[in-house]
Amino acid sequence: MAKDIIISASFVPVSELLSQTVLAMFDTVNSAKEVLIHKENFKVFATYLERTSSVLKELSKKNIEHSEGLVNALVIVNREVEVAKHLALDCRKKNKICLLINCRKIVKALESSTKDIGRALSLLSLPSLDVSVGINNQINNLCKNMLDAEYRTAVAEEEILAKIELGIQEGNADMSHKKDLLLRIAETLGISNEHSELTKEFEEFKRELDDTNLRKGSEEELQMEQICQIIALLEGTNLDTAAEDEVTEYSEERVSLGRQPLEPLRQFYCPLTHEIMVDPVETSSQQTFERSAIEKWFAEGNRQCPLTDIPLDTSILRPNKALKRSIEEWRDRNTRIIIASIKPTLQSSVEQEVLQSLEKLQNLCLESDIYQEWVVMEDYIPVLIGLLGTKNRAIRKNDLAILSILAKDSEDNKGRITVVNNALEAIVRSLARQSEESKVALQLLLELSRSSVAQDLMGNVQGCILLVGTMLNNEDDQVTRNAVELLENLSCIDQNVIQMARANYFKPLLKLLSSGSEDVKMVMAGTLSEIELTDHNKLSIVKDGALRPLLELLSNGDLERRKIGVKALLHLSSLPQNGLEMIRKGAVGPLLELLYSHSLSSPALREQVAETIMYLAMSTTSQEAREDRVSLLDSEEDIFKLFSLISLTGPDMQRSILKTFHAMCQSSSGLDIRIKLRQISAVQVLVQLCEVDNSTVRANAVKLFSRLTEDGDDSKFLEHISQRCIDSLLRIIKSSSDDVEEMAAAMGIIANLPKDHPQITGWLLDAEALQIIWTCLSDGNRDASYRRQLVESAVGALGHFTVASNQEWQRKVAEAGIIPVLVQLLASGTALTRQKAAISLKQLSESSGRLSKPIKHGIFLCCFSAPEPGCPAHLGICTVESSFCIVKAKALDPLVRMLGEADVGACEASLDALLTLIDGERLEQGGKVLDEAKAVSLIIKLLSSESARLQRKSLMALERIFQVNELTLKYGTLAHMALVDIAQKKNSDMKSLAAKVLGQLGVLEKQSSYF
């Protein structure tokens, strides 16, 4: 037949043969996708066929010559694909139970087809077909993969087959065994466990079985007999009634056995081991031995009967079924009596006796499933549950282990344990106890959780889910796996899922949030919005996919769904990383749309939307956002629309919007935001809000106002500054002692106002601003962050009164006692505070020369009193109050120390202040003062500064200092190399200045044009 096919195929063009093969593969792939069993295995097989057909399609496009080898290979491929197709069709059409019984055969057949197709592909003789290396490699890889392919039966299917085989081996005809097997088959095959559905499925199986011829005594026939017993059970009996009848029958039979175990008969013992046999076999000498013992005898080279010394045929070992049955009956009879006798001992007050009885009972349960059934029929379960209340840890642990054995693979036993009064509560209490006990308790709960009855009740036990949640990160990996599986089993109940979320296990909740029904999604989102979350939880929830379903709720037409979505997003957005992720995922648009919606009749919802946007804005101030340049709003229209809501909403929304813009002003696009806010006259609104009664709104308005004055663009906001505005800001500073941040912001506004505006300074003086500034500077609580900002701003605000152009204002500063405070701040303030203090002292020092009084010299004065000592820098009478002298204020030492500051601004300000001592005609005296203060060497060091401004200023300073011969001789050599370096490397302006100083030192001609 095969030869005929090959002969007929030899007349078909190769391209057509290839097309037929591809089509056959396509049909088989479709059939493989619809199988009822081994779906994963068939999926892998279908992938192989799809890859193969793709390669064959490429071949069909080539102009391949007709060859006998190619035709033969394709015919074989076609034949094997057809075999696989029939297998897939069988797995699609046949009864599920029949397929289950034959699952091992199906796997073997599928594996065989895969390997056969792989072998057929290897016969294509590709090198002779003149195809590309790529196609050649693809087919070679496919052949290798298919020849190495291995398929596996599912774990659940193997367990059922093992249970059937165990029943055959033990002759198990118990009702409970059949019922458990029935339910396991239904669960594995996805059949409803309703009586009518089960009956329908098994009747279909029976009809299919009647059409099948099975070999007598084969494994399949024995398996089918077990299933047929289940069918008989379904047809003839109510399951619950049958179970009750079996218990009654067992009790009557056990009573008839008496209470004393029977001694074993002599023939039960193996002559070799002298132990009771388990698997007795008869040799050719008609003597019976334990199978393992006689096999060992043969393996040691013995060929005679151990008892009769008759030569034996070692190939003959016949099972002694009659003896085996007698031993089993004897053992079962005694075991029933032993099981019944153990029960009273569990009530003993002697703990050791109880423990020994439990160990004996546990060993019996492990020995056989049928013994477990007898334990249940003896009504042990309530007794075992009762023992969980004992104080002995070992008793509880053994007790839990026995209950776990009974619960495993038995739906009935799971139900029996679950319904015992307070059983679940007692087991849960063991979860909180010592490690080994808690592990066994967890194992028992895991077994019970596979029952729908337990799933409904377990979540209601106080602390159950919470305690299981604490075991998710156990050092023992098996404990962790058990805890995860237990929670997964319980997650079929929505209320359990909520409890898991409260116990910090969010996986089931997130799954339902993404794929549950609309109502379930609402419940899960509501849970997220209400429960307390740590930052770690918030981060993991967003990372694990909560954003997409929550954002979908925002666009839902139902108002309640929107409310819950917003509330959940608000809850998660307080973490900056989450805020950034929400911006990236497009949350801003839907949130703004909700905020601007005129049809939104819920003020509370709009407030929550505004607060969420606020948190998103705050997230843009993080380092990550700055590096990625993430921004919340870009267009001037968006900024205007959002800011305009401030005038149309209540205090809560005003607070959120103000904080939103305050955060945006600190983001990577902060400068652009501040410019746009000034352009839309935001300052006018903020000035008005500085006077509102609501302290929270006012504070946030002041903080945003302060940000808008930072850039020096005073033309955009100066028109809104008035005496009333100044009074409001100073009133805030005086009265807002509880909110230092607000005080600092208000003082910052004053500090940022233009210093060359006499009217503003006049308003400040009229409002007693100097006294307020002195109070802020003198406050001892400068360590707090915002307190330091307040001091920084207060020192900056002094700039209004220290300008050298108005000595009257300067005098008021001195009279207020502020100069000594500034000197103190040179040593104790922040870098910015020291810089601003040095600037004010520099401005004050600029007036010292003019205000220093000449020393009076006269004949009579010399006769009667010592002359008054003069200022070494100004050569006159100086005081802090009269001439604002920095020498008399003892500011030289801290100013000199600041020359070594890493902060360029503070260093430059201190240099400027010191250089006021060598202005004008006081060069020689001032230079000597700087020398005595050890400032000159530090100024020379500034020649090597990375700051061009500092280099230039130090050059200018040295140009004046080296006009004093004494200082030139003392410091010229020290400055030499740095000056040469500048002269060689810097720009022309710096070069000429450096050359000039080098000329002063005599290194260059004073008229040199070299530089």
Side-chain angles (χ1 to χ4, degrees):
M1 178 68 180
K3 188 177 180 182
D4 293 340
I5 295 173
I6 293 172
I7 292 170
S8 62
S10 63
F11 298 105
V12 180
V14 172
S15 59
E16 189 175 332
L17 260 179
L18 287 167
S19 297
Q20 289 174 1
T21 307
V22 169
L23 188 60
M25 287 183 175
F26 177 76
D27 289 341
T28 305
V29 167
N30 285 338
S31 298
K33 291 178 179 178
E34 297 178 4
V35 295
L36 302 175
I37 196 169
H38 293 310
K39 293 185 179 181
E40 286 302 315
N41 289 332
F42 274 98
K43 184 177 179 181
V44 173
F45 175 71
T47 303
Y48 285 137
L49 290 190
E50 286 171 341
R51 289 169 59 192
T52 304
S53 64
S54 176
V55 174
L56 296 182
K57 279 182 185 177
E58 288 295 317
L59 284 177
S60 67
K61 296 175 184 176
K62 310 289 182 182
N63 188 18
I64 297 174
E65 293 183 7
H66 196 286
S67 73
E68 186 178 346
L70 176 62
V71 171
N72 291 345
L74 289 175
V75 168
I76 296 171
V77 170
N78 264 301
R79 185 182 66 213
E80 295 304 331
V81 168
E82 191 67 22
V83 170
K85 179 181 176 182
H86 284 299
L87 181 64
L89 289 172
D90 283 345
C91 291
R92 188 178 75 178
K93 296 177 180 178
K94 283 196 171 184
N95 177 266
K96 291 180 181 179
I97 300 168
C98 188
L99 292 173
L100 174 63
I101 299 301
N102 289 287
C103 63
R104 290 172 182 161
K105 278 189 171 182
I106 294 169
V107 165
K108 192 173 180 181
L110 185 62
E111 193 170 292
S112 176
S113 285
T114 306
K115 293 180 186 296
D116 287 344
I117 294 171
R119 275 189 286 270
L121 286 175
S122 67
L123 300 175
L124 288 178
S125 302
L126 293 175
S128 64
L129 298 181
D130 192 26
V131 297
S132 68
V133 175
I135 293 177
N136 194 13
N137 289 338
Q138 285 183 58
I139 292 184
N140 287 336
N141 289 335
L142 264 173
C143 290
K144 184 179 184 305
N145 292 340
M146 294 174 83
L147 288 170
D148 293 341
E150 290 184 1
Y151 300 116
R152 297 268 190 279
T153 52
V155 174
E157 294 163 358
E158 281 294 342
E159 286 178 353
I160 289 173
L161 292 179
K163 204 169 181 68
I164 292 172
E165 287 162 2
L166 184 63
I168 294 167
Q169 182 183 335
E170 297 185 351
N172 198 335
D174 283 306
M175 176 72 67
S176 181
H177 170 81
K178 296 172 189 172
K179 184 176 178 183
D180 282 341
L181 187 55
L182 170 66
L183 294 175
R184 288 295 294 276
I185 290 172
E187 181 184 355
T188 302
L189 298 178
I191 305 169
S192 169
N193 57 15
E194 290 291 325
H195 190 275
S196 59
E197 290 294 321
L198 286 169
T199 303
K200 178 183 175 183
E201 194 72 33
F202 277 94
E203 283 177 350
E204 183 183 319
F205 163 73
K206 192 176 179 182
R207 284 194 299 272
E208 196 165 299
L209 185 62
D210 291 338
D211 297 332
T212 306
N213 293 318
L214 295 175
R215 184 168 50 85
K216 188 71 175 173
S218 66
E219 181 184 354
E220 291 89 342
E221 186 193 34
L222 295 173
Q223 290 173 336
M224 297 303 180
E225 283 180 6
Q226 280 269 310
I227 302 297
C228 287
Q229 289 179 18
I230 295 175
I231 296 172
L233 175 67
L234 280 169
E235 291 174 341
T237 319
N238 176 281
L239 291 178
D240 295 329
T241 305
E244 290 174 8
D245 291 345
E246 188 173 10
V247 171
T248 304
E249 183 182 340
Y250 167 82
S251 300
E252 292 172 352
E253 187 177 343
R254 203 259 301 154
V255 169
S256 69
L257 296 175
R259 297 186 177 181
Q260 294 300 320
L262 292 177
E263 291 298 321
L265 299 176
R266 182 176 56 81
Q267 56 265 38
F268 288 178
Y269 289 94
C270 172
L272 288 173
T273 65
H274 305 293
E275 294 178 356
I276 297 171
M277 289 182 281
V278 175
D279 186 10
V281 292
E282 193 177 80
T283 65
S284 59
S285 65
Q286 282 76 52
Q287 300 297 321
T288 300
F289 302 90
E290 176 64 46
R291 181 186 291 275
S292 59
I294 194 64
E295 285 177 346
K296 181 180 178 185
W297 173 267
F298 290 155
E300 291 171 348
N302 299 302
R303 293 295 179 264
Q304 290 79 29
C305 174
L307 296 179
T308 65
D309 210 29
I310 296 173
L312 297 177
D313 184 347
T314 57
S315 65
I316 298 175
L317 288 176
R318 291 183 293 271
N320 192 334
K321 295 182 179 180
L323 180 58
K324 182 178 182 180
R325 194 177 306 112
S326 296
I327 293 172
E328 288 175 348
E329 287 174 356
W330 166 83
R331 183 178 283 115
D332 288 350
R333 178 190 185 283
N334 281 0
T335 302
R336 290 193 189 196
I337 294 171
I338 291 169
I339 289 173
S341 66
I342 290 174
K343 188 176 178 183
T345 63
L346 296 181
Q347 310 295 331
S348 171
S349 59
V350 181
E351 291 182 345
Q352 191 59 35
E353 184 180 352
V354 174
L355 194 55
Q356 289 173 353
S357 297
L358 285 173
E359 289 172 355
K360 189 184 297 183
L361 188 64
Q362 183 175 351
N363 290 333
L364 286 170
C365 288
L366 289 171
E367 190 175 333
S368 170
D369 287 352
I370 191 63
Y371 296 166
Q372 294 176 26
E373 296 303 324
W374 294 345
V375 167
V376 172
M377 291 181 189
E378 288 288 349
D379 203 23
Y380 265 87
I381 287 178
V383 176
L384 293 171
I385 298 297
L387 283 175
L388 292 177
T390 186
K391 294 181 180 179
N392 188 296
R393 183 185 302 161
I395 290 176
R396 293 196 305 267
K397 181 184 169 186
N398 281 27
D399 197 29
L400 290 164
I402 294 170
L403 288 168
S404 290
I405 295 168
L406 296 178
K408 187 176 183 181
D409 299 332
S410 174
E411 287 296 314
D412 282 347
N413 289 349
K414 289 180 176 68
R416 290 185 182 105
I417 294 170
T418 301
V419 298
V420 173
N421 194 30
N422 293 324
L424 291 177
E425 288 80 356
I427 300 167
V428 167
R429 278 195 294 273
S430 287
L431 279 180
R433 291 183 169 130
Q434 188 262 354
S435 173
E436 292 305 313
E437 181 180 348
S438 68
K439 289 179 183 178
V440 184
L442 178 66
Q443 181 63 45
L444 174 54
L445 287 173
L446 175 58
E447 292 294 344
L448 297 178
S449 71
R450 294 175 178 133
S451 160
S452 58
V453 176
Q455 289 167 359
D456 290 337
L457 299 175
M458 208 175 286
N460 295 328
V461 178
Q462 186 175 9
C464 176
I465 288 175
L466 179 61
L467 287 170
V468 175
T470 63
M471 303 176 84
L472 289 170
N473 297 311
N474 195 280
E475 293 177 357
D476 187 331
D477 291 342
Q478 186 58 52
V479 171
T480 299
R481 286 193 292 271
N482 287 349
V484 169
E485 186 180 348
L486 172 53
L487 292 175
E488 289 297 319
N489 290 345
L490 297 182
S491 66
C492 59
I493 310 293
D494 291 349
Q495 194 56 42
N496 290 348
V497 172
I498 293 170
Q499 286 196 54
M500 289 175 203
R502 296 186 188 280
N504 294 336
Y505 184 64
F506 300 98
K507 184 179 177 182
L509 181 143
L510 295 175
K511 183 178 179 181
L512 290 177
L513 182 65
S514 297
S515 58
S517 66
E518 291 303 314
D519 289 340
V520 168
K521 287 180 181 180
M522 279 272 287
V523 172
M524 297 305 131
T527 301
L528 274 185
S529 70
E530 292 167 1
I531 59 177
E532 289 296 323
L533 296 172
T534 64
D535 286 350
H536 174 74
N537 289 339
K538 291 177 182 179
L539 190 61
S540 64
I541 287 168
V542 169
K543 186 178 178 181
D544 292 339
L547 283 187
R548 182 186 58 77
L550 291 178
L551 290 175
E552 286 174 358
L553 288 176
L554 293 191
S555 57
N556 196 289
D558 183 76
L559 181 60
E560 288 305 312
R561 297 186 191 280
R562 288 183 171 188
K563 284 182 179 179
I564 289 176
V566 168
K567 195 174 179 183
L569 287 172
L570 171 58
H571 202 30
L572 297 171
S573 65
S574 59
L575 193 68
Q577 297 98 310
N578 286 355
L580 284 180
E581 191 61 20
M582 289 179 190
I583 295 173
R584 292 182 179 121
K585 295 294 185 184
V588 177
L591 287 169
L592 288 175
E593 187 178 340
L594 268 177
L595 193 65
Y596 301 146
S597 175
H598 296 295
S599 61
L600 198 61
S601 58
S602 173
L605 177 56
R606 297 187 78 183
E607 288 168 7
Q608 288 173 352
V609 171
E611 191 174 359
T612 306
I613 292 172
M614 174 194 78
Y615 281 125
L616 300 192
M618 289 178 175
S619 73
T620 64
T621 65
S622 67
Q623 183 63 33
E624 182 184 353
R626 290 177 182 279
E627 291 172 357
D628 295 346
R629 301 197 63 79
V630 178
S631 60
L632 187 74
L633 301 177
D634 295 316
S635 71
E636 187 171 336
E637 180 185 358
D638 287 337
I639 293 170
F640 174 77
K641 283 178 70 176
L642 183 58
F643 193 85
S644 65
L645 288 179
I646 293 175
S647 303
L648 306 172
T649 54
D652 288 336
M653 277 192 65
Q654 288 178 328
R655 174 194 69 88
S656 295
I657 296 172
L658 289 167
K659 292 184 82 169
T660 296
F661 280 105
H662 185 260
M664 289 166 61
C665 287
Q666 300 172 73
S667 68
S668 59
S669 57
L671 177 60
D672 187 51
I673 297 293
R674 294 194 295 272
I675 291 172
K676 287 173 179 174
L677 283 173
R678 288 191 290 264
Q679 287 173 345
I680 63 173
S681 299
V683 173
Q684 182 178 1
V685 176
L686 296 175
V687 167
Q688 295 169 359
L689 291 176
C690 287
E691 300 180 21
V692 298
D693 293 331
N694 188 294
S695 59
T696 304
V697 173
R698 185 192 67 216
N700 284 292
V702 170
K703 293 167 193 174
L704 179 56
F705 187 1
S706 177
R707 287 289 175 190
L708 298 187
T709 62
E710 288 177 351
D711 305 315
D713 187 10
D714 49 40
S715 61
K716 298 294 183 182
F717 64 82
L718 201 56
E719 61 182 294
H720 304 298
I721 305 299
S722 62
Q723 175 75 62
R724 181 173 175 176
C725 176
I726 297 292
D727 290 345
S728 296
L729 293 172
L730 292 172
R731 186 164 55 251
I732 288 168
I733 297 169
K734 285 193 293 184
S735 61
S736 298
S737 57
D738 292 338
D739 190 346
V740 182
E741 188 181 2
E742 183 186 9
M743 293 170 64
M747 187 66 82
I749 295 170
I750 293 171
N752 293 333
L753 294 175
K755 306 295 192 298
D756 57 352
H757 202 293
Q759 188 178 30
I760 290 177
T761 306
W763 290 338
L764 289 168
L765 286 170
D766 292 343
E768 300 181 348
L770 271 176
Q771 184 59 40
I772 296 171
I773 291 171
W774 184 88
T775 302
C776 293
L777 293 178
S778 304
D779 195 322
N781 299 319
R782 294 192 191 122
D783 291 337
S785 172
Y786 293 119
R787 181 68 62 183
R788 291 196 294 270
Q789 290 182 26
L790 175 60
V791 172
E792 288 174 356
S793 297
V795 176
L798 275 177
H800 288 288
F801 311 103
T802 58
V803 289
S805 59
N806 194 317
Q807 291 179 1
E808 186 59 33
W809 293 344
Q810 289 182 327
R811 195 173 304 282
K812 289 182 182 293
V813 172
E815 290 172 353
I818 291 176
I819 293 177
V821 177
L822 290 176
V823 175
Q824 284 181 341
L825 290 172
L826 291 177
S828 62
T830 64
L832 184 57
T833 298
R834 294 197 298 274
Q835 177 185 347
K836 291 181 176 180
I839 291 171
S840 289
L841 288 171
K842 176 250 183 187
Q843 292 173 329
L844 291 165
S845 182
E846 287 174 340
S847 300
S848 297
R850 295 189 296 275
L851 296 175
S852 180
K853 296 178 181 178
I855 299 174
K856 296 178 181 179
H857 296 283
I859 298 174
F860 295 105
L861 287 173
C862 291
C863 295
F864 296 103
S865 63
E868 187 175 353
C871 170
H874 303 114
L875 300 179
I877 305 300
C878 287
T879 65
V880 175
E881 293 78 11
S882 63
S883 63
F884 330 132
C885 177
I886 59 174
V887 178
K888 291 297 181 180
K890 300 181 179 179
L892 286 187
D893 284 346
L895 285 171
V896 170
R897 283 196 295 272
M898 286 173 63
L899 290 176
E901 284 268 342
D903 186 88
V904 174
C907 182
E908 183 180 353
S910 67
L911 180 61
D912 289 341
L914 290 169
L915 294 184
T916 59
L917 298 178
I918 57 174
D919 280 349
E921 300 174 357
R922 299 182 300 279
L923 174 60
E924 188 168 351
Q925 295 83 2
K928 290 179 179 179
V929 169
L930 291 179
D931 178 30
E932 290 174 5
K934 301 180 180 178
V936 179
S937 59
L938 290 173
I939 293 172
I940 291 172
K941 279 187 178 181
L942 293 178
L943 292 174
S944 303
S945 170
E946 294 181 359
S947 167
R949 285 170 57 86
L950 276 177
Q951 283 187 327
R952 183 175 286 103
K953 284 194 175 184
S954 61
L955 276 173
M956 294 170 65
L958 290 172
E959 187 270 330
R960 288 187 58 73
I961 289 170
F962 286 155
Q963 291 178 31
V964 180
N965 289 333
E966 182 182 338
L967 300 180
T968 302
L969 292 172
K970 187 173 182 180
Y971 294 104
T973 303
L974 185 63
H976 185 170
M977 291 305 297
L979 289 168
V980 171
D981 186 59
I982 292 173
Q984 289 177 341
K985 297 179 180 178
K986 300 299 175 180
N987 57 48
S988 57
D989 176 36
M990 296 273 276
K991 280 185 178 183
S992 59
L993 192 53
K996 185 176 180 181
V997 178
L998 286 169
Q1000 289 176 281
L1001 298 178
V1003 176
L1004 292 175
E1005 292 286 340
K1006 289 190 177 180
Q1007 303 301 320
S1008 173
S1009 60
Y1010 182 82
F1011 295 103

